């Protein structure tokens, strides 16, 4: 397949992307062959986004919390008192259904890889890559046996992903020092949040996953990314809807407003850098890498600006390892005879999309357990305005 006439963020010269057997073969101004082709008008292409921090089974929660907290422990205690009934109503939904919705939440936004933090997922054959080739430890204070797990000799080869410095108080900062001190085998640490992290501490981490919207919602403060980026790699994550908007683009634009990363640094925190940290065969338009590709409307803007203005409504195509998972209704005539999988028709904003799998059945099944569960795609489907 060839994807014709797209621009790539940072380069406004139109190119074509050739794909074969799930891999990128070539990126060039023009590619002549007789294979299946899709031609776009006014569109950008970028690698499928890598969401480096989510809890897939927690994405049916609304944001919970109504004050500014000093730490994740204070927040955790508060929500279990103040929102006990809401928490119980979501946890009644079987884990597999909640995980499947977490996959769709990411896919709708153009995420093709998500790093799940917590217990191993139980769903089979997720549509996108769920990265779990790491050791998930929640945190120093919430994980009873964190020292033993951190120093498990059978896990030395795996990176450790752990909430670190999630708060604004002294305890959150000191907690990071404890983690560093007890990392006896000097394992690769990937911290999450790092709101209380200092540059001295950052150098002990392979990377830090920045989740700015979650941080501002809980603490009215985020990590000093403009300082920490000199000492460790900065990846990007959303966390779950317990503390953030379902749409990753909402998070990205908030991060951009802080100006703590340049536009290019922020772009690479979602693409090439996490691919390197997690050792994924994706994240760039290079021959031989997996064809994880998103095409979106440019709306007449330069490619990098268009990238930062993307909404789920603007997404025209999401491809994972060469397989089309989502496409806009405007491409239907070009895809006739090409696609063979089963798709559901959905509405995002004012645009109809086709998405692989049975998202309608999933929503209906979830509503059996929680009739008032909310979703960003209307169900039953409503006509476009």
């Amino acid at each position: 397949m060839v994807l014709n006439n797209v621009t790539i963020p940072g380069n406004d010269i139109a190119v074509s992307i050739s794909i074969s057997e799930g891999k990128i073969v070539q990126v060039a101004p023009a590619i002549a062959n007789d294979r299946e082709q899709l031609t776009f008008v006014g569109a950008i292409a970028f690698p499928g986004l890598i969401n480096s921090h989510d809890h897939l089974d927690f994405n049916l929660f609304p944001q919970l919390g109504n004050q500014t907290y000093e730490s994740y422990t204070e927040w955790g205690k508060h929500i279990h008192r103040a929102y006990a009934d809401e928490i119980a109503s979501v946890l009644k939904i079987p884990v597999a259904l909640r995980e499947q919705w977490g996959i769709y939440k990411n896919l709708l936004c153009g995420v093709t890889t998500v790093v799940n933090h917590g217990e191993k997922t139980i769903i089979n054959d997720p549509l996108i890559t769920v990265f779990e080739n790491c050791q998930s430890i929640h945190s120093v204070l919430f994980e009873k046996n964190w020292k033993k797990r951190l120093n498990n000799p059978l896990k030395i080869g795996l990176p450790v992903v752990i909430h670190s410095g999630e708060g604004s108080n002294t305890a959150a900062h000191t907690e990071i020092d404890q983690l560093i001190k007890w990392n006896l085998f000097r394992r690769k640490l990937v911290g999450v949040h790092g709101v209380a992290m200092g540059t001295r501490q950052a150098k002990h981490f392979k990377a830090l996953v920045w989740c700015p919207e979650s941080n501002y919602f809980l603490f009215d403060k985020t990590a000093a990314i403009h300082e920490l980026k000199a000492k460790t790699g900065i990846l990007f994550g959303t966390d779950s809807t317990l503390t953030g908007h379902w749409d990753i683009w909402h998070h990205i634009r908030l991060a951009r407003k802080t100006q703590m990363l340049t536009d290019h640094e922020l772009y690479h925190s979602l693409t090439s850098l996490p691919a390197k940290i997690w050792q994924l065969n994706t994240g760039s338009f290079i021959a031989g890498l997996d064809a994880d590709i998103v095409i979106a409307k440019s709306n007449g803007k330069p490619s990098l600006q268009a990238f930062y203005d993307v909404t789920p409504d603007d997404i025209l195509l999401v491809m994972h390892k060469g397989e089309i998972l989502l496409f806009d209704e405007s491409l239907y005539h070009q895809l006739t005879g090409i696609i063979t999988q089963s798709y559901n028709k959905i509405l995002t904003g004012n645009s109809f999309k086709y998405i692989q799998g049975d998202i309608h059945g999933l929503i209906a099944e979830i509503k059996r357990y929680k009739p008032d569960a909310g979703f960003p795609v209307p169900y039953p489907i409503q006509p476009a305005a």
Side-chain angles (χ1 to χ4, degrees):
M1 176 176 284
V2 179
L3 307 175
N4 289 310
N5 195 39
V6 295
T7 57
I8 296 171
N11 185 351
D12 291 320
I13 298 174
V15 297
S16 296
I17 305 170
S18 176
I19 300 153
S20 179
E21 296 182 351
K23 308 288 185 186
I24 295 169
V25 176
Q26 184 183 10
V27 179
I31 300 173
N33 59 49
D34 58 359
R35 285 185 291 161
E36 299 159 340
Q37 302 206 20
L38 290 177
T39 299
F40 298 88
V41 177
I44 58 168
F46 50 90
L49 302 182
I50 300 171
N51 182 355
S52 288
H53 185 68
D54 200 347
H55 301 270
L56 288 176
D57 57 333
F58 284 173
N59 284 295
L60 286 166
F61 285 103
Q63 285 181 285
L64 297 182
N66 59 9
Q67 64 189 60
T68 299
Y69 305 91
E70 289 194 342
S71 69
Y72 66 98
T73 55
E74 181 188 7
W75 169 74
K77 291 174 183 176
H78 176 246
I79 65 168
H80 280 93
R81 290 195 308 269
Y83 303 98
D85 291 343
E86 178 64 27
I87 291 171
S89 72
V90 173
L91 294 181
K92 284 194 306 185
I93 303 166
V95 171
L97 297 182
R98 290 189 274 129
E99 290 176 346
Q100 287 171 23
W101 174 251
I103 295 289
Y104 274 114
K105 179 204 86 166
N106 281 279
L107 173 56
L108 286 165
C109 299
V111 172
T112 55
T113 301
V114 59
V115 180
N116 184 54
H117 196 208
E119 299 295 326
K120 296 290 185 182
T121 53
I122 63 174
I123 54 175
N124 296 318
D125 301 320
L127 291 171
I128 62 177
T129 298
V130 178
F131 181 83
E132 296 180 292
N133 190 29
C134 57
Q135 184 182 19
S136 287
I137 299 177
H138 186 277
S139 59
V140 166
L141 293 180
F142 277 178
E143 192 87 37
K144 185 178 180 180
N145 296 312
W146 69 270
K147 293 177 186 176
K148 183 178 179 181
R149 296 192 64 205
L150 176 64
N151 293 294
N152 181 348
L154 300 178
K155 301 284 188 178
I156 287 177
L158 295 175
V160 177
V161 183
I162 181 168
H163 291 217
S164 308
E166 190 181 359
S168 59
N169 59 7
T170 301
H173 180 78
T174 303
E175 175 187 286
I176 303 173
D177 287 330
Q178 284 185 271
L179 177 63
I180 295 167
K181 175 185 176 182
W182 284 98
N183 185 19
L184 303 179
F185 296 132
R186 298 296 182 261
R187 295 179 63 189
K188 292 180 180 178
L189 300 176
V190 178
V192 181
H193 300 299
V195 178
M197 184 178 288
T199 53
R200 173 186 58 81
Q201 297 168 320
K203 66 183 181 182
H204 294 278
F205 288 76
K206 182 72 174 177
L208 175 68
V209 185
W210 186 27
C211 304
E213 179 161 298
S214 174
N215 303 157
Y216 283 120
F217 175 71
L218 294 180
F219 314 118
D220 196 27
K221 182 180 180 181
T222 193
I225 296 299
H226 57 302
E227 298 174 357
L228 302 180
K229 68 182 182 182
K231 301 296 182 180
T232 191
I234 304 300
L235 313 182
F236 197 87
T238 60
D239 219 327
S240 72
T241 56
L242 265 171
T243 57
H245 197 279
W246 75 274
D247 176 5
I248 193 172
W249 297 99
H250 192 273
H251 300 241
I252 293 168
R253 282 187 281 276
L254 174 62
R256 192 185 188 210
K257 285 181 182 178
T258 71
Q259 298 185 324
M260 288 196 279
L261 292 180
T262 67
D263 280 355
H264 287 283
E265 288 170 337
L266 182 53
Y267 176 77
H268 289 295
S269 77
L270 289 148
T271 54
S272 60
L273 185 56
K276 179 181 178 181
I277 295 293
W278 304 121
Q279 298 184 351
L280 302 167
N281 192 50
T282 186
S284 302
F285 288 128
I286 298 173
L289 295 189
D290 291 337
D292 292 355
I293 299 171
V294 180
I295 312 289
K297 298 175 186 176
S298 65
N299 295 314
K301 301 169 186 173
S303 57
L304 193 58
Q305 180 60 50
F307 173 81
Y308 285 109
D309 288 343
V310 166
T311 68
D313 198 15
D314 294 319
I315 293 176
L316 298 171
L317 184 85
V318 179
M319 178 178 284
H320 176 250
K321 297 185 178 180
E323 185 174 357
I324 295 172
L325 300 184
L326 180 149
F327 64 92
D328 188 82
E329 187 178 41
S330 63
L331 299 178
Y332 192 92
H333 67 287
Q334 292 194 65
L335 288 167
T336 302
I338 295 177
I339 55 172
T340 57
Q341 296 89 351
S342 175
Y343 295 81
N344 277 180
K345 189 175 184 179
I346 60 170
L347 180 65
T348 60
N350 293 314
S351 299
F352 287 110
K353 315 287 182 186
Y354 289 84
I355 192 165
Q356 197 176 129
D358 186 13
I359 192 172
H360 293 167
L362 174 63
I363 292 173
E365 184 67 10
I366 288 170
K367 284 184 172 289
R368 284 184 55 226
Y369 294 92
K370 185 173 171 57
D372 62 346
F375 297 91
V377 290
Y379 180 79
I381 196 168
Q382 300 295 324

